[in-house]
Amino acid sequence: MKTASYDSPVTIASPSLCNRLAASNTTSMSSSNSRSIASMTRSQFKYSHHHPIPDYKAEHALLESSLARRKENIAPIIPLSFDLHTDARAKEREKFEAVVKEKEVEMDRQREAKRKEREEQEERELRELRRKAIPKANAVPEWYKDAPRRKRRTEQAQGSDSCRTE
């Protein structure tokens, strides 16, 4: 099989394909530059069936005129004044902080009152414990007089010595 280079002429086997390409290329190819498809090189054939090259100068002129019309209709942008809510927010925050400070002061007062009450209660309990802990002379009960008396240790000690000598 023979391979064709890009500069070699292209041979097309199907006549119906040639007719279709020729019909589509008639708009893109001018009458003075008409060639037969068979005599075109591959690179010529590749670009011959595409759309014609656009007229960029005309497109740019059209774009420029539309931009000029737009520029005529553009009104200048006037910025609106805006209000920052920082002042109002600062006042609200100040009120909030005052309320929080009041609550903290009240809680401190309650804590201090509870602490004082607890200290007083502990002091009362301590006084009561000390009062009960101090030994005091109590009156001798009546039944104690009738109770049998114990021997004294000295008598017991002498009696135990006499038992040993016997």
Side-chain angles (χ1 to χ4, degrees):
M1 182 174 200
K2 184 179 176 184
T3 59
S5 68
Y6 283 102
D7 293 331
S8 66
V10 176
T11 307
I12 299 176
S14 169
S16 64
L17 181 61
C18 288
N19 291 337
R20 277 188 273 150
L21 285 174
S24 68
N25 285 336
T26 55
T27 58
S28 66
M29 298 175 78
S30 65
S31 61
S32 64
N33 193 13
S34 61
R35 294 185 192 171
S36 67
I37 294 176
S39 67
M40 286 187 203
T41 63
R42 184 170 281 238
S43 61
Q44 289 170 342
F45 176 74
K46 185 176 180 183
Y47 297 110
S48 66
H49 64 280
H50 287 288
H51 297 286
I53 297 173
D55 185 14
Y56 289 114
K57 284 185 180 180
E59 287 183 20
H60 284 292
L62 182 65
L63 182 65
E64 288 289 328
S65 65
S66 68
L67 287 176
R69 275 185 264 130
R70 279 191 204 166
K71 286 180 183 177
E72 291 171 0
N73 295 332
I74 292 176
I77 297 174
I78 301 170
L80 298 174
S81 64
F82 55 93
D83 296 328
L84 295 177
H85 297 285
T86 54
D87 296 333
R89 179 75 177 100
K91 289 177 185 175
E92 289 176 15
R93 182 67 185 189
E94 200 172 294
K95 289 177 185 176
F96 172 76
E97 287 178 356
V99 169
V100 169
K101 187 109 177 161
E102 279 182 31
K103 286 182 180 179
E104 287 178 357
V105 168
E106 184 62 32
M107 289 179 70
D108 287 342
R109 285 183 197 150
Q110 289 177 356
R111 276 192 226 119
E112 186 65 24
K114 285 181 181 180
R115 185 187 63 80
K116 284 183 180 180
E117 186 179 325
R118 188 175 54 243
E119 285 178 357
E120 289 174 2
Q121 179 67 25
E122 288 174 0
E123 200 172 303
R124 274 188 251 127
E125 290 174 359
L126 187 61
R127 272 190 254 130
E128 183 67 25
L129 287 174
R130 285 182 182 160
R131 188 182 65 81
K132 289 181 179 179
I134 296 175
K136 294 182 179 178
N138 296 324
V140 178
E142 292 294 322
W143 59 266
Y144 192 74
K145 292 178 184 176
D146 299 330
R149 306 226 178 229
R150 292 186 193 171
K151 294 182 182 179
R152 293 190 178 175
R153 289 188 181 188
T154 56
E155 292 176 7
Q156 289 177 356
Q158 288 174 0
S160 63
D161 288 337
S162 61
C163 292
R164 288 184 194 165
T165 55
E166 294 179 3

